[in-house]
Amino acid sequence: MSSSPVNFHDLTREQLRALTVRWGFSPVHAARLWSYVYLERVDAWALMPELPARYRAKAEAELVFARLPVAVETHSADGFTRKYLLALADDRRIETVLMRYTGRVTACISSQAGCAMGCVFCATGQMGFVRHLTPGEIVAQALHVDRVLQGAAGGERLRNIVLMGMGEPLHNYDAVMHAIDILRDSSGLGIGAKRITLSTVGVVPGIIRLADEARPMHLAVSLHAAIQEERAALVPVAGKWPLAELMDACRYYIAKQERRIFYEWTLIEGKNDTLESAHAVGRLLRGQQAQVNLIPLNPTAGYGGAPTGREAAKKFQAVLAEYGLPSTVRQRRGIDIDAGCGQLAAAK
Ligand code: SAH
Ligand code: SF4
C-alpha cells in the first residue's frame, strides 16, 4: 500500500531529520538535502548528485516538491509591483505580491484562500473563507518570489516577508507558525525575525499565544477605529474580540516580547480620518510602544468609501504625534493591478 507523498515544504529541518532517521538513513543526508533545497534552491532530484543513490531513491518515492504554478501574472505600470495568482493542488487560487521599495524587496504572502473575518472594505473578506493554507503552500509562495528575484538582473534573494496577503494568519495559527519556522531556519532561507511581519485583524487568543512563544517577528494589528462600535461596523470580529480585550492582549504582547506593535489604520474619507478619530487613537494608544501605519483606502468592488487625501492624512499624523505616537503613511503600490492592501481576491 502506498500512501500519497509528503510535500517537502511542509517539513521543518527537524522533521526531515526525524523522517530520514526513521527510513534508516544518517541525518547527514537530511542536512544535505535541506541545504540543496533551501540554500541552493534546487528542487529537482537529478540536481542533487551528492545524495547517496539509495537515500535519493527513498526520498524521491516519499517526498514531492510542490511548486505553485502561476495562473496569472500582472505587473503594475510603475514596474514596482508584481502580482501572482497561484494555483493550489485542488485548483483553488491564492495571490502573492512582490513589492519593490527603494532598497528593499518584500513578498506579501497569503495565509488562507479567502478570509472568514469579513472586514467590509477588504476584497478578501468580501469573497469569504475558502480554506486554510498548509505550511508548504505558505513556504512555496516565498520560494516563488525568491525564484523570480534570482531570475531578475542582479540575482537578488528574498529577504523580507509580510503576512499581509489573503487571509487572517492567526486564524490559521499552527500552519503559519510552522511555515515561519521553515522560512526562518538559519541553515536554510534564513529570513530573520526582523524581516517577517505578521498582520492580524486582532485575534486575541492568537496574540496571547504569540506573546508566550519564542518566535520573534514584527506584529501588526489592524485597528481602523478606536471606539468599539465604530470598529465593529468595519471589522465584524470586533464583536467577538472587543477593543478592551484586544488592547489588554497587545499590552501583554509588548511587555512579554519587549517589542513594539505596529497598528494599521485604513484611512477612509469622512469615516475614520477626522481629527476626533485621531484623538481617540491617541488616547487609546498613549503610553504604548506603538507605531501607527496609515493606509489610505484602496478601492474594492464591495465597498464604496473613498481614500483620505494627503493633507488630511498629514493632519491625522500631527495629532498622533501630540500623543507621542510615531506614524507613517503607507506608500500606495500596485493599485492599478489590484495588488494593494485589501485588494486581493482570487476568482475561482
Ligand atoms: N488579515 C490580516 C492581514 C491581511 S490584510 C489583517 O487584517 O491584518 C493587510 C492589511 O490591509 C490590513 O491592515 C487590512 O486592514 C488592510 N486592508 C484591507 N482592505 C483594505 C483596503 N481596501 N484598503 C486599504 N487597506 C486595506
Ligand atoms: Fe481578512 Fe484581513 Fe481582509 Fe479583514 S482585512 S477580511 S482579516 S484579510
Side-chain angles (χ1 to χ4, degrees), residues 120 224 230 233-234 267-274 277 303 306 308:
V120 296
H224 312 306
E230 289 176 18
L234 297 171
L267 279 171
I268 310 166
E269 191 180 58
K271 188 117 195 161
N272 65 354
D273 68 347
T274 62
S277 293
Y303 187 71
T308 299

Side-chain angles (χ1 to χ4, degrees), residues 27 44-45 80 89 103 121 133 142 146 149 168 185 190 234 310 323 341:
W45 300 107
F80 291 125
F121 46 74
L133 298 188
D146 186 70
L149 292 172
E168 167 47 46
D185 190 288
L234 297 171
R310 270 179 73 109
Y323 292 85
C341 291

Side-chain angles (χ1 to χ4, degrees), residues 115-119 121-126 165-168 200-201 222 224 342:
C115 182
M117 302 293 138
C119 304
F121 46 74
C122 170
T124 312
Q126 289 157 17
M166 298 171 76
E168 167 47 46
T200 177
V201 71
S222 298
H224 312 306

